């Protein structure tokens, strides 16, 4: 199995089952490549002396496989947003009470679930009840205004108020489990692929809503995004272990009104081409409040405080040290002169060294180093973006607003990165600029935030 095909769980099982050198030998790669893969997937390796203890008959404890740092940071932000969701406006209270009335008429135990508000503040709401209220707002919100259950005239501000209510309820709702069944071929009883189960979390709903806005704004057919292990799981018939021969690469496809999954399923034999599998489609309006999903707008401070950076101090220091090592190796690599043509190198090899070809070997080694440097640079940039998102609490697709060089600027975020030094860090947020009338324009712009001081 190529190491890039390994999941975090599979890699964790391998490196704690046998020494890294043996794992590398079985996979046909170097132990350095295994170490890099562990660092990228955030898989802990056995500490020094672990295998000596095993050989002596001891059974040292293995650490648990912790969640991705990004997932932990995301859950922390979702918890903070849930705590701030308490107060409802008078208009939001009308939408909320209309939903409770309909649920009560259908026989739901609204009082037993503690759904009634205390004044204008939400009480602890049962996750299943919050999910039902969200779908009711999607399917009945406009009708409540028409029927007079919500005393207002339907307009953009009323829809925005309902969207804000949805934003307050999303973190409280239980994630739904969506099942995407594979399309059936005509004349066949069995489907042509596995069923896919997707956890429709609040974060995934926000990602889907941002993709729907892209599809509608640019008049596209659909867009796709990769499905991560935290989002989905395959049917139990297709569970696989490290030694299995089925590998699945799946993407979530989102149109203006529907969502489905497409995947490439590798064949049992390596020489066979991968098989494309597409599932049936689900209507977005049936599974989430897509018409009322709030647009996150975050007002950025003029600078980044020490308290904001403190939880990420060690990670920021590690990024700075990795940047320094990369810069040193990069300068050493590109300082080597490469102006001698290949035919002259070949002639020099034959005249002086016979068949050993040290000059050509040196150039080939240089080419390999350059390829590794390119991969390293890609990984460093990915870490810069992930770390900047964690520190600032924003993500790709969010809307941010800040004072920039004496003027107010609103951006739909398309990129986030940072550049660290001994004196601090600079955060760069790039995105599409909003016009003065509030609509999204076409011009690109950037915002810069600075952190100064000892990390």
């Amino acid at each position: 199995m190529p190491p890039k095909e390994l999941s975090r769980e599979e890699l964790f099982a391998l490196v704690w089952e046998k020494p890294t050198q043996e794992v590398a030998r079985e996979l046909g790669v170097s132990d350095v490549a295994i170490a890099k893969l562990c660092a990228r997937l955030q898989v802990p390796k056995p500490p020094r002396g672990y295998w000596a203890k095993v050989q002596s008959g001891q059974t040292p404890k293995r650490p648990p496989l912790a969640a991705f740092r990004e997932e932990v940071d995301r859950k922390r932000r979702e918890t903070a947003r849930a705590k701030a969701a308490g107060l409802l406006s008078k208009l939001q209270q009308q939408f909320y009470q209309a939903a409770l009335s309909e649920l009560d008429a259908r026989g739901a135990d609204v009082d037993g679930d503690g759904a009634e508000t205390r004044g204008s503040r939400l009480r602890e709401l049962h996750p299943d009840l919050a999910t039902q209220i969200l779908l009711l707002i999607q399917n009945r919100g406009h009708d409540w205004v028409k029927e007079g259950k919500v005393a207002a005239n339907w307009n953009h501000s009323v829809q925005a108020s309902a969207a804000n209510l949805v934003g307050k309820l999303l973190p409280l709702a239980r994630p739904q489990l969506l099942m995407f069944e594979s399309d059936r071929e005509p004349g066949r009883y069995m489907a042509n692929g596995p069923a896919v189960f997707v956890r429709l979390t609040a974060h995934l709903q926000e990602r889907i809503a941002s993709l729907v806005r892209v599809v509608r704004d640019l008049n596209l057919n659909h867009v796709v995004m990769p499905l991560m292990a935290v989002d989905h799981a395959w049917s139990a018939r297709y569970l696989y272990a490290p030694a299995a021969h089925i590998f699945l690469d799946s993407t979530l496809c989102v149109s203006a009104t529907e969502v489905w999954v497409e995947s490439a399923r590798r064949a049992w034999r390596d020489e066979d081409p991968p098989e494309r599998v597409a599932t049936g489609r689900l209507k977005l309006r049936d599974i989430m409040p897509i018409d009322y999903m709030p647009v996150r707008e975050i007002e950025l401070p003029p600078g980044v405080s020490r308290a904001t950076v403190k939880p990420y101090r060690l990670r920021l220091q590690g990024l700075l040290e990795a940047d320094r090592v990369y810069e040193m190796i990069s300068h050493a690599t590109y300082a080597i002169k490469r102006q001698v043509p290949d035919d002259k190198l070949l002639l020099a090899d034959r005249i002086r060294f016979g068949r050993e070809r040290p000059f050509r070997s040196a150039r080939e080694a240089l080419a390999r180093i350059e390829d590794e440097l390119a991969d390293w640079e890609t990984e460093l940039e990915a870490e810069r973006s992930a770390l900047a998102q964690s520190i600032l609490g924003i993500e790709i697709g969010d809307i941010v607003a800040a004072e920039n060089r004496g003027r107010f600027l609103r951006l739909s975020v398309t990129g986030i990165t940072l550049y660290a030094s001994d004196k601090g860090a600079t955060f760069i947020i790039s995105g599409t600029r909003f016009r003065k009338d509030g609509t999204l324009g076409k011009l690109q712009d950037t915002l810069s935030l600075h952190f100064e001081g000892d990390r």
Side-chain angles (χ1 to χ4, degrees), residues 103-165:
L103 287 173
D104 186 59
R106 297 178 185 182
D109 187 11
V110 174
D111 295 332
D113 289 331
E116 292 295 337
T117 57
R118 182 179 293 131
S120 60
R121 181 176 294 277
L122 277 174
R123 297 168 62 186
E124 286 294 330
L125 195 61
H126 193 282
D128 292 331
L129 191 59
T131 303
Q132 295 180 61
I133 293 174
L134 286 172
L135 292 178
L136 273 177
I137 293 174
Q138 166 64 51
N139 297 304
R140 293 280 294 146
H142 196 183
D143 294 335
W144 292 336
V145 175
K146 290 182 178 179
E147 296 167 1
K149 295 181 178 179
V150 175
N153 294 321
W154 186 259
N155 53 38
H156 178 73
S157 63
V158 173
Q159 185 173 356
S161 181
N164 288 334
L165 174 59

Side-chain angles (χ1 to χ4, degrees), residues 304-313 316 391 427 451 455:
V304 181
S305 67
R306 185 184 304 273
T308 303
V309 176
K310 186 177 180 180
Y312 307 94
R313 180 177 58 84
L316 188 60
I391 293 175
F427 298 82
F451 165 71
R455 290 179 307 280

